[in-house]
Amino acid sequence: MNDFPWAEAAATGVGSHPGDDHVEALRVVFGELPMPYLPELPGRGVGADMIGRTASLLVELPVEVQPSGWRFADRPGRDLKRARDHLSRDLDALEEVAQSYTGPLKVQVCGPWTLAGAVELRYGDKTLADPGAVRDLVDSLAEGVAAHVAEVRRRVPGAEIVLQVDEPGLPGVLAGTVRTASGFGRLPAVEPAPAAERLKTVLGAAESNGSAPFPIVHCCAPNVPFKVLRMAGARGVSLDAALLRRRDEDHIGEAVEAGIAFLLGVVPGTDVRLPDIGVVARPATELWRRLGFAPARLARQVVLTPACGLAGASPAYARAALATCAKAARVLREDPGE
């Protein structure tokens, strides 16, 4: 179970970047990180945001923007075209920047439950309110994600794909705290078993010819549902280390013992003065020590990242944050007792 696509002392980012220069963002992630990724630049506007970008992957479920946000539409229109154009340009730039690259490459998509809690049906309610609509969304998303991963593989044939499914909304879906479209009520909680089953459909969608991307789930919210993520088949969990509580550590220990990787967010996503790399690495080393695992496993099973996306940071800070994560990851290998 400890067969990870990255080498020891790995670091990566969560997904989003500031600004609108997608080529420069790619150069930064390929220049600073042992595990680069396809950045998202929501500052470019409609269709570059997490919801719109992933909704553009849906098969036969066109979307459009309304004053309330993204909504399913009768036919493809300008908003969907804009989202697909953004992604197409990003893939063109990826192919150029990643020439001859071999190694782990991460791609991010919004998860089905977060998407269902954000995209509205044609008549205005959230997709999450209709179990049949959720099922259709999941099937469409799985097909779209499989095609997206295949396209990335075609453009970067030396890449070993890590598929990150972003589910910041999943804790709210499970707790029944997602508001209705009107904002006056809350949608019923989804039970853990069906929540895991739908997520599993997307995590396993891109397997083809015996080759599957390494599936991880990112959840930068409190109360990460570790059991649901494991039931869904996640091989890694990405989270904000600052949000962890001692009550989470039993779940983390069980997951580590089962061979699950952890991508720990250890530097803020917006501009601050970055601390010494030993301080940055400390949440990982101290967690590992408290859990009682062998230090030799730390640099292999833990990857360091910013706490969340970097869209709200300055470009200079975004570069520095990623470089700091990469340097701190080497501490996990060279001095895991730091």
Side-chain angles (χ1 to χ4, degrees), residues 22 41 44-49 53 79-92:
H22 60 292
L41 279 73
R44 291 180 294 184
V46 171
D49 58 293
R53 187 179 183 90
D79 300 325
L80 181 58
K81 181 180 185 302
R82 188 175 298 159
R84 288 175 172 168
D85 286 348
H86 282 312
L87 182 55
S88 179
R89 283 192 292 270
D90 289 351
L91 291 171
D92 289 343

Side-chain angles (χ1 to χ4, degrees), residues 38-61:
L38 180 61
E40 303 158 356
L41 279 73
R44 291 180 294 184
V46 171
D49 58 293
M50 178 179 73
I51 300 299
R53 187 179 183 90
T54 298
S56 75
L57 299 175
L58 295 173
V59 176
E60 296 182 356
L61 285 179

Side-chain angles (χ1 to χ4, degrees), residues 122-293:
R122 292 180 183 87
Y123 55 81
D125 212 343
K126 290 186 176 179
T127 303
L128 185 60
D130 183 336
V134 170
R135 182 176 59 251
D136 291 344
L137 180 148
V138 168
D139 291 343
S140 174
L141 178 59
E143 187 176 347
V145 168
H148 179 52
V149 169
E151 180 67 9
V152 173
R153 278 201 176 110
R154 185 185 70 78
R155 291 172 179 262
V156 191
E160 191 163 356
I161 303 296
V162 176
L163 174 63
Q164 175 182 305
V165 175
D166 292 324
E167 282 286 18
L170 181 55
V173 169
L174 294 167
T177 59
V178 179
R179 292 196 174 274
T180 58
S182 69
F184 296 117
R186 287 184 169 87
L187 296 170
V190 175
E191 292 297 317
E197 191 62 31
R198 298 295 186 215
L199 181 56
K200 184 176 185 177
T201 298
V202 175
L203 288 176
E207 182 171 359
S208 62
N209 301 320
S211 175
F214 189 90
I216 67 173
V217 177
H218 171 69
C219 185
C220 57
N223 303 313
V224 175
F226 296 102
K227 288 185 177 179
V228 170
L229 302 188
R230 289 182 61 189
M231 288 166 60
R235 298 282 308 281
V237 178
S238 170
L239 46 79
D240 181 351
L243 297 180
L244 290 176
R245 299 294 178 262
R246 289 298 176 95
R247 66 175 181 269
D248 296 320
E249 293 188 5
D250 285 344
H251 296 301
I252 294 172
E254 292 170 3
V256 169
E257 192 65 45
I260 304 296
F262 277 86
L263 288 77
L264 292 183
V266 290
V267 300
T270 52
D271 293 40
V272 297
R273 183 174 180 178
L274 290 164
D276 176 80
I277 58 172
V279 175
V280 172
R282 192 168 295 156
T285 57
E286 290 189 348
L287 174 65
W288 212 250
R289 177 180 52 78
R290 288 196 302 272
L291 293 174
F293 290 108

